[in-house]
């Protein structure tokens, strides 16, 4: 591999790679992100390799595993270039047909195309799929074109041109000013302006400075950073190098969680390749700028996503937040000025340097510029990653892109911002998504998790779930967090189990104030948010649990009972067969009865009761009607199957 | 070191650059309650009992006096309805673990904290870290440390070091704000650990 000594040589190399690649040549991109791999993408990749070789097409067609394009619900995803034909849920068994029909015969395999369940229409090309059509994929758009293990693939899409531009035509101040003018705000949680943070580090008198990537993505249900790390690691390295150049750092760290093995592998490989080309290391592109990157694997503590805890962990100590009132951009890692930004923030930097702050600020709202990646999960038709311009409404994200709520259920709330965020109710679905807008609504942007909840979700139980998560993940240093959350969890558990009492909500509010005001770090301060926001918008659910021992969502096990409506039961026996606790009193042509003493509330009977009968119901807050007397149990006049 | 003049509870206080609010207040005879603070040790900021308000109006914020550095013209209030409310709850949370600790009872009386507000979970330890930090920072032995995290966090002596160092030291025992007996108990627990030959 040749060492590149100047921006001109980089362009020559890029042209060389492009010249070797025929734009008309078929490329089969198969998503090799964690989600698709879990649904068998590696087997599909292998099958393409074998099939193409068998047919002697391997010289004419490239089949490669790529980064994640986001439509995880429909994986494994295959996109065939140059047409951009998109096949969904591809199995190894489909590969021979795709090769024969599409690669050799220029025909599409209809059954593998996206099917719009509302219109019954199919979409052939990737950009035509509604899930993608309404997105603006500046950061993750290249994922499906890139084999993350190939630096050449990144160069083909213009990779490292921003770094070359900065090193040859810009001063560090220019780079800093561009990022400041772009008003790029941190994508990891707080939304602090990146340029302002960088400036503090740049102006700090201490000569040794560091740049750090926070890749300790730990919010339940969030995988935005994972997709960028796994799918386009060079974009992060390029952004980090630009940041280092701007602030005057020569060393960078990537703190990545160990639970992301593929991300660790791809990032390490990317660093090695970039070093071989001289895009990292000493005297990068002949500019005199030296920069090396070190990967640090986190040991699985959520709190290490907090900036000072992360730096403490990087120093080799227990990852606990620092109590100091000094900004880490002035005194951070090893007491040196350190810029810490999240993965997505860094990945935006090359775009800003290449296209300019004016381009970037055209996208988004007044206070929140650019795009944001969200992981759309929970009770949603199209689970996956979506990248949209800031200012898009929650309704557009959930319904237009996400396809709405499955199984005809009603939307109830969307939880944004992870455990530090909150739940937003239906009446606020037209809220424009932005840092300040979400905070005002009692939630936060956080790193971009979006958990959609339907009518079957109990909001008290949601608060209890996040509190349980935080009790486990608190570092345990300060009292308002460690002890306050312990008590909050007890109270919330009691409420969901029917042991809530008068005064519990006031006590929870009081503990929320103590944690919110007096906890040591941002994590502890924001820990009451899931409770506070659910109380704000769903107080009636709390009150139903406490005053009536009733769970309105029919979800809290201790507060519900399964009951078979005698007039609806047709003695089909499904529930009887599926009950693991022998709690159903059955019998041929006899109305079935749930023995409440034996019932473990697993819900199997409810699931298997045919919808044409809907005899099994959940009840809450009222006594279970007494069982039908034995002499009245015989079903007359109706057959087993209607 | 340049002199800094700040205001604590309406009183003009002289301090030196690099001092904390707590140090400045102590110098001026103003009391701020603490549990995890020790003059020989680095500020830890875990009990949050020394929370005070700095700044005025919309810019007022809660900080801990044991860590926050003094600034010229800084306005500090060591007590207010809100601060007292927070201190009371913190004490109540502690009292669930160590209801009979004399240092806690004195403060409980002052702030009207109810020792029975939260369900008892006797553990003695309130995680102030005085023993851990003293052993590390002053004695430099690291014979006692924290294990686990979150609500499962506890203090633990390292048997190999403790069996060698602790019998003739025990300087951490009197530091314990709950009961010195508990330190003895935790130490003996650790020493039950079978020693490697």
């Amino acid at each position: 591999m040749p060492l590149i000594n100047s921006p001109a040589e980089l362009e020559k190399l890029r042209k060389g790679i492009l010249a070797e690649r025929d734009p008309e040549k078929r490329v089969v991109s198969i998503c090799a992100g964690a989600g698709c791999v879990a649904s068998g993408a590696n087997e599909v990749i292998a099958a393409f390799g074998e099939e193409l070789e068998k047919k002697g097409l391997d010289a004419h067609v490239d089949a490669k595993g790529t980064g994640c394009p986001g439509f995880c619900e429909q994986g494994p995803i295959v996109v065939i270039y140059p047409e951009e034909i998109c096949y969904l849920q591809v199995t190894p068994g489909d590969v021979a047909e795709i090769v024969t029909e599409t690669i050799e015969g220029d025909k599409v395999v209809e059954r593998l195309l996206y099917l719009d369940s509302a219109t019954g229409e199919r979409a052939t090309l990737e950009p035509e799929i509604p899930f993608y059509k309404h997105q603006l994929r500046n950061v993750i758009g290249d994922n499906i074109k890139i084999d993350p293990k190939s630096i050449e693939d990144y160069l083909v899409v213009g990779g490292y041109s921003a770094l070359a531009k900065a090193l040859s035509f810009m001063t560090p101040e220019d780079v800093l000013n561009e990022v400041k003018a772009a008003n790029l705000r941190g994508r990891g949680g707080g939304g602090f302006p990146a340029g302002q943070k960088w400036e503090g580090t740049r102006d700090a008198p201490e000569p040794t400075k560091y740049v750090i990537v926070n890749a300790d993505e730990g919010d339940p249900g969030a995988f935005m950073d994972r997709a960028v790390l796994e799918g386009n690691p060079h974009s992060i390295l390029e952004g980090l190098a630009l940041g280092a150049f701007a602030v005057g750092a020569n060393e960078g760290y990537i703190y990545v969680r160990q639970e992301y093995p593929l991300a660790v592998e791809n990032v390490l490989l990317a660093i090695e390749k970039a070093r071989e080309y001289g895009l990292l290391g000493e005297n990068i592109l002949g500019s005199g700028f030296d920069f090396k990157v070190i990967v640090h694997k986190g040991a699985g503590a959520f709190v290490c996503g907090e900036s000072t805890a992360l730096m403490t962990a990087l120093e080799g100590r227990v990852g606990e937040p620092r109590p100091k009132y000094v900004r880490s951009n002035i005194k951070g890692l090893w007491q040196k000025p350190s810029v810490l930004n999240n993965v997505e923030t860094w990945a935006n930097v090359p775009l800003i340097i290449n296209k300019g702050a004016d381009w970037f600020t055209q996208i988004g709202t007044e206070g929140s510029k650019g795009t944001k990646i969200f992981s759309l999960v929970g009770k949603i038709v199209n689970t996956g990653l979506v990248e949209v311009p800031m200012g898009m409404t929650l309704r557009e994200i959930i319904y237009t892109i996400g396809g709405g709520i499955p199984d005809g259920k009603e939307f109830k709330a969307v939880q944004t911002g992870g455990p530090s965020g909150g739940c937003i109710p239906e009446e606020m679905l037209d809220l424009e998504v932005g840092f300040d807008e979400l905070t005002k609504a009692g939630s936060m942007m956080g790193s971009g998790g979006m958990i959609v909840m339907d009518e079957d979700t109990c909001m008290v139980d949601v608060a209890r779930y996040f509190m349980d998560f935080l009790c486990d993940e608190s570092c345990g240093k300060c009292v308002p967090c460690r002890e306050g959350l312990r008590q909050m969890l007890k109270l919330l558990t009691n409420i969901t189990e029917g042991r809530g009492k008068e005064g519990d909500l006031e006590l929870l509010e009081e503990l929320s104030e103590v944690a919110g005001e007096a906890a040591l770090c941002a994590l502890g301060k924001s820990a009451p948010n899931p409770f506070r926001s659910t109380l704000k918008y769903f107080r009636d659910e709390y009150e139903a649990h406490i005053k009536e021992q009733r769970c309105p969502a029919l979800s809290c096990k201790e507060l519900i009972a399964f009951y078979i409506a005698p007039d609806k039961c047709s003695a089909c026996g499904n529930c009887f067969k599926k009950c693991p606790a022998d709690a159903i009193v059955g019998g041929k042509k006899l109305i079935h009865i749930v023995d409440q003493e034996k019932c473990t509330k697993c819900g199997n009977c409810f699931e298997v009761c045919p919808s044409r009968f809907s005899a099994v119901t959940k009840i809450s807050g009222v006594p279970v009607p007494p069982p039908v007397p034995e002499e009245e149990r015989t079903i007359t006049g109706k057959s087993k199957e209607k | 070191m340049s002199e800094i003049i700040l205001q604590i509870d309406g009183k003009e206080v002289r301090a030196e650059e690099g001092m904390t609010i707590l140090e400045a207040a102590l110098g001026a005879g103003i009391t701020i309650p603490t549990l995890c603070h020790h003059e020989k040790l680095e500020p830890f900021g875990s009990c949050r009992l020394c929370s005070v308000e700095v700044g005025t109006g919309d810019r007022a914020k809660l900080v801990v006096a044991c860590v926050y550095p003094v600034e010229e013209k800084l306005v500090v209030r060591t007590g207010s309805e809100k601060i007292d409310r927070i201190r009371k709850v913190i004490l109540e949370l502690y009292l669930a673990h160590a209801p009979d600790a004399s240092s806690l009872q004195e403060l409980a009386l002052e702030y009207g904290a109810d020792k029975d507000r939260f369900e008892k979970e006797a553990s003695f330890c309130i995680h102030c870290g005085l023993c851990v930090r003293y052993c590390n920072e002053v004695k430099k032995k690291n014979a006692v440390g924290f294990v686990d995290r979150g609500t499962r966090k506890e203090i633990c002596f390292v048997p190999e070091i403790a069996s060698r160092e602790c019998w003739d030291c025990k300087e951490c025992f009197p530091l314990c704000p709950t009961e010195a007996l508990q330190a003895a108990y935790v130490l003996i627990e650790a020493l039950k650990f079978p020693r490697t030959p």
Side-chain angles (χ1 to χ4, degrees):
Chain A
M1 200 171 279
L3 198 65
I4 311 164
N5 291 311
S6 69
E9 281 182 40
L10 177 66
E11 286 320 306
K12 203 175 138 197
L13 172 72
R14 195 191 314 278
K15 279 191 187 129
I17 299 168
L18 275 168
E20 280 173 23
R21 295 191 178 187
D22 175 1
E24 296 301 313
K25 184 179 175 181
R26 277 269 166 63
V27 177
V28 182
S29 281
I30 306 127
C31 168
C36 282
V37 166
S39 2
N42 282 338
E43 290 73 23
V44 175
I45 296 170
F48 267 109
E50 283 164 28
E51 189 66 22
L52 292 170
E53 199 185 324
K54 202 170 85 189
K55 297 217 163 170
L57 292 165
D58 47 330
H60 311 288
V61 180
D62 268 344
K64 63 184 181 186
T66 67
C68 166
F71 205 3
C72 309
E73 181 76 37
Q74 301 281 353
I77 292 168
V78 172
V79 181
I80 295 168
Y81 291 96
E83 301 92 332
E84 293 190 70
I85 299 165
C86 182
Y87 291 138
L88 304 170
Q89 295 187 334
V90 178
T91 64
D94 300 323
V95 170
E97 188 180 349
I98 295 174
V99 172
T100 315
E101 293 293 312
T102 311
I103 310 275
E104 294 183 308
D106 284 324
K107 287 186 292 239
V108 290
V109 183
E110 193 83 4
R111 64 182 177 85
L112 295 172
L113 296 175
Y114 174 82
L115 175 69
D116 190 326
S117 56
T119 62
E121 280 174 27
R122 295 200 180 261
T124 307
L125 308 182
E126 192 196 49
E128 295 169 357
I129 298 174
F131 176 78
Y132 292 120
K133 202 156 68 181
H134 304 278
Q135 295 191 42
L136 181 61
R137 296 188 296 152
N138 291 343
V139 176
I140 53 170
D142 282 335
N143 275 20
I144 193 72
K145 298 174 195 153
I146 292 176
D147 171 0
K149 295 187 165 60
S150 158
I151 189 170
E152 289 79 13
D153 272 15
Y154 184 61
L155 291 172
V156 164
V157 297
Y160 289 105
S161 56
L163 183 64
K165 178 181 174 184
L167 293 181
S168 46
F169 302 112
M170 296 169 85
T171 64
E173 286 77 13
D174 292 339
V175 176
L176 176 68
N177 288 335
E178 204 65 36
V179 173
K180 266 178 84 180
N183 194 14
L184 174 66
R185 293 175 67 175
R187 264 64 177 153
F192 193 81
Q196 206 177 317
K197 196 187 262 186
W198 292 20
E199 194 167 37
T201 296
R202 170 159 187 88
D203 294 345
E206 172 67 48
T208 307
K209 302 169 203 283
Y210 299 107
V211 284
I212 305 166
V213 183
N214 184 348
D216 192 43
E217 184 172 57
D219 290 358
F223 49 103
M224 302 74 54
D225 294 347
R226 179 179 205 159
V228 185
L229 285 158
E230 288 178 355
N232 194 354
H234 285 286
S235 67
I236 303 160
L237 293 179
E238 189 179 2
L240 190 64
L242 285 162
F245 176 67
V247 304
N250 299 109
E251 220 169 275
Y253 286 84
I254 301 178
Y255 186 99
V256 56
R257 63 199 308 237
Q258 189 139 259
E259 297 91 323
Y260 283 179
L262 184 60
V264 173
E265 184 186 323
N266 288 357
V267 167
L268 283 170
L269 188 69
I271 293 172
E272 194 189 312
K273 297 277 178 193
R275 278 174 54 89
E276 284 173 15
Y277 271 124
L279 294 161
L280 286 177
E282 283 170 14
N283 193 19
I284 296 170
L285 298 177
S287 65
F289 170 60
D290 305 335
F291 183 56
K292 71 169 177 182
V293 182
I294 295 146
V295 171
H296 182 103
K297 284 185 272 182
F302 177 74
V303 70
C304 287
E306 195 275 345
S307 60
T308 63
L310 186 150
M311 290 182 199
T312 312
L314 267 183
E315 291 169 6
R317 292 180 289 129
V318 178
E320 285 180 356
R322 293 173 183 170
K324 298 278 160 74
Y325 293 96
V326 184
R327 288 200 181 278
S328 52
N329 62 338
I330 309 296
K331 259 189 184 182
L333 184 59
W334 289 299
Q335 301 294 311
K336 310 289 185 202
S338 309
V339 169
L340 178 128
N341 279 127
N342 139 288
V343 167
E344 194 185 335
T345 316
W346 287 118
N348 268 292
V349 174
L351 302 173
I352 292 170
I353 298 306
N354 259 336
K355 300 184 177 185
D358 289 340
W359 166 81
F360 191 77
T361 51
Q362 279 169 18
I363 310 160
T365 64
E366 185 60 36
S368 309
K369 299 297 183 192
T371 60
K372 178 76 194 81
I373 310 173
F374 293 100
S375 66
L376 202 52
V377 298
K379 304 293 177 68
I380 185 95
V381 172
N382 298 331
T383 299
L385 287 181
V386 302
E387 185 180 350
V388 296
M390 297 272 195
M392 186 176 264
T393 65
L394 286 168
R395 191 184 300 281
E396 287 172 282
I397 296 173
I398 292 166
Y399 286 92
T400 314
I401 296 174
I405 318 301
D407 306 325
K409 300 274 184 182
E410 292 284 315
F411 170 91
K412 186 183 247 178
V414 56
Q415 208 280 349
T416 74
S420 304
C423 295
I424 297 171
E426 187 176 18
E427 57 265 31
M428 297 186 75
L429 273 179
D430 291 312
L431 185 81
E432 291 184 349
V433 168
F435 292 101
D436 311 315
E437 291 82 352
L438 284 167
T439 305
K440 232 171 105 184
S443 185
M444 66 185 276
M445 178 80 84
S447 57
M450 240 181 222
I451 305 172
V452 181
M453 296 163 186
D454 71 5
E455 55 188 296
D456 295 339
T457 314
C458 168
M459 300 314 285
V460 185
D461 195 47
V462 167
R464 188 206 55 78
Y465 165 80
F466 279 107
M467 201 53 71
D468 187 41
F469 177 87
L470 288 161
C471 273
D472 194 39
E473 294 292 347
S474 158
C475 80
K477 185 169 180 176
C478 78
V479 181
C481 182
R482 185 188 68 241
E483 298 302 331
L485 300 193
R486 185 208 299 269
Q487 298 298 343
M488 287 183 79
L489 176 61
K490 274 192 199 178
L491 289 161
L492 288 167
T493 306
N494 283 343
I495 296 174
T496 56
E497 292 179 355
R499 296 192 306 274
K501 50 186 190 303
E502 197 77 13
D504 278 0
L505 294 181
E506 290 71 20
L507 184 52
L508 279 163
E509 284 181 306
E510 201 175 334
L511 289 164
S512 296
E513 186 199 16
V514 174
E517 292 279 352
L520 192 157
C521 77
L523 252 172
K525 284 193 162 90
S526 61
N529 282 357
F531 161 70
R532 282 176 155 168
S533 65
T534 47
L535 184 70
K536 182 174 173 188
Y537 298 118
F538 302 95
R539 183 178 273 271
D540 53 337
E541 288 200 24
Y542 279 90
E543 285 174 351
H545 281 77
I546 296 170
K547 291 181 184 158
E548 304 164 39
Q549 276 73 51
R550 177 172 67 88
C551 174
L554 301 169
S555 152
C556 292
K557 270 193 179 185
E558 305 288 330
L559 296 182
I560 57 165
F562 288 88
Y563 173 68
I564 301 172
D567 55 325
K568 290 185 178 165
C569 179
S570 300
C572 72
N574 279 0
C575 58
F576 178 78
K577 280 176 233 149
K578 290 285 177 186
C579 178
D582 291 331
I584 307 256
V585 185
K588 203 173 179 187
K589 292 208 172 180
L590 289 177
I591 291 168
H592 286 36
I593 295 166
V594 178
D595 181 340
Q596 299 295 334
E597 293 291 311
K598 286 185 180 170
C599 177
T600 58
K601 299 173 187 177
C602 69
N604 278 2
C605 54
F606 184 79
E607 298 287 325
V608 299
C609 183
S611 57
R612 62 184 185 278
F613 304 139
S614 292
V616 181
T617 56
K618 291 192 268 187
I619 54 177
S620 181
V622 288
V624 180
V628 182
E630 203 56 38
E631 60 274 18
E632 292 168 29
R633 279 185 63 203
T634 308
I635 300 170
T636 48
K638 45 181 171 178
S639 64
K640 195 177 159 190
E641 292 290 326
K642 265 189 186 172
Chain B
M1 281 285 175
S2 59
E3 195 186 62
I4 282 174
I5 298 174
L6 69 158
Q7 200 197 77
I8 305 180
D9 293 342
K11 189 173 158 185
E12 199 166 271
V13 172
R14 284 166 196 280
E16 272 172 26
E17 200 185 327
M19 281 171 93
T20 62
I21 293 176
L22 184 64
E23 287 165 334
L26 284 175
I30 298 167
T31 318
I32 298 173
T34 60
L35 275 173
C36 70
H37 175 75
H38 191 284
E39 56 185 18
K40 284 188 184 165
L41 304 176
E42 282 289 309
F44 194 54
S46 83
C47 78
R48 318 305 282 176
L49 211 56
C50 68
S51 290
V52 295
E53 251 170 38
V54 296
T56 49
D58 287 348
R59 311 196 68 176
K61 59 175 179 180
L62 219 60
V63 301
V64 284
C66 70
V67 178
Y68 201 88
V70 292
E71 292 161 12
E72 188 66 38
K73 292 185 183 154
L74 187 71
V75 177
V76 182
R77 274 174 314 286
T78 68
S80 71
E81 202 186 309
K82 184 166 145 191
I83 293 171
D84 291 355
R85 198 163 62 229
I86 286 169
R87 287 182 188 156
K88 172 177 171 283
V89 174
I90 288 175
L91 289 165
E92 287 168 341
L93 289 167
Y94 273 148
L95 286 162
H97 293 290
D100 288 328
S102 52
S103 57
L104 289 177
Q105 284 182 333
E106 280 165 35
L107 287 163
L109 203 63
E110 191 181 341
Y111 289 93
D114 173 5
K115 72 173 168 48
D116 298 320
R117 188 154 188 212
F118 298 105
E119 192 191 336
K120 297 280 176 302
E121 260 181 81
S123 65
F124 294 109
C125 184
I126 58 165
H127 304 75
C128 67
L130 284 171
C131 53
V132 174
R133 290 145 60 211
Y134 188 84
C135 192
N136 167 264
E137 293 174 34
V138 178
K139 303 299 287 185
K140 306 206 185 301
K141 299 293 186 195
N142 296 312
V144 58
F146 285 116
V147 291
D148 219 329
R149 70 173 184 229
T151 49
R152 298 181 310 275
K153 194 172 194 171
E154 51 185 279
I155 54 162
C156 188
F157 284 88
V158 183
E160 291 84 348
I161 307 173
S163 61
R164 207 168 55 230
E165 306 287 346
C166 294
W167 289 122
D168 298 328
C169 172
K170 293 182 197 149
E171 285 171 36
C172 61
F173 285 21
L175 298 178
C176 182
T178 56
E179 292 299 332
L181 268 178
Q182 69 127 337
Y185 174 77
V186 178
L187 173 59
I188 290 163
E189 269 267 306
L191 295 181
K192 283 196 308 197
F193 195 84
R195 290 173 67 178
T196 43

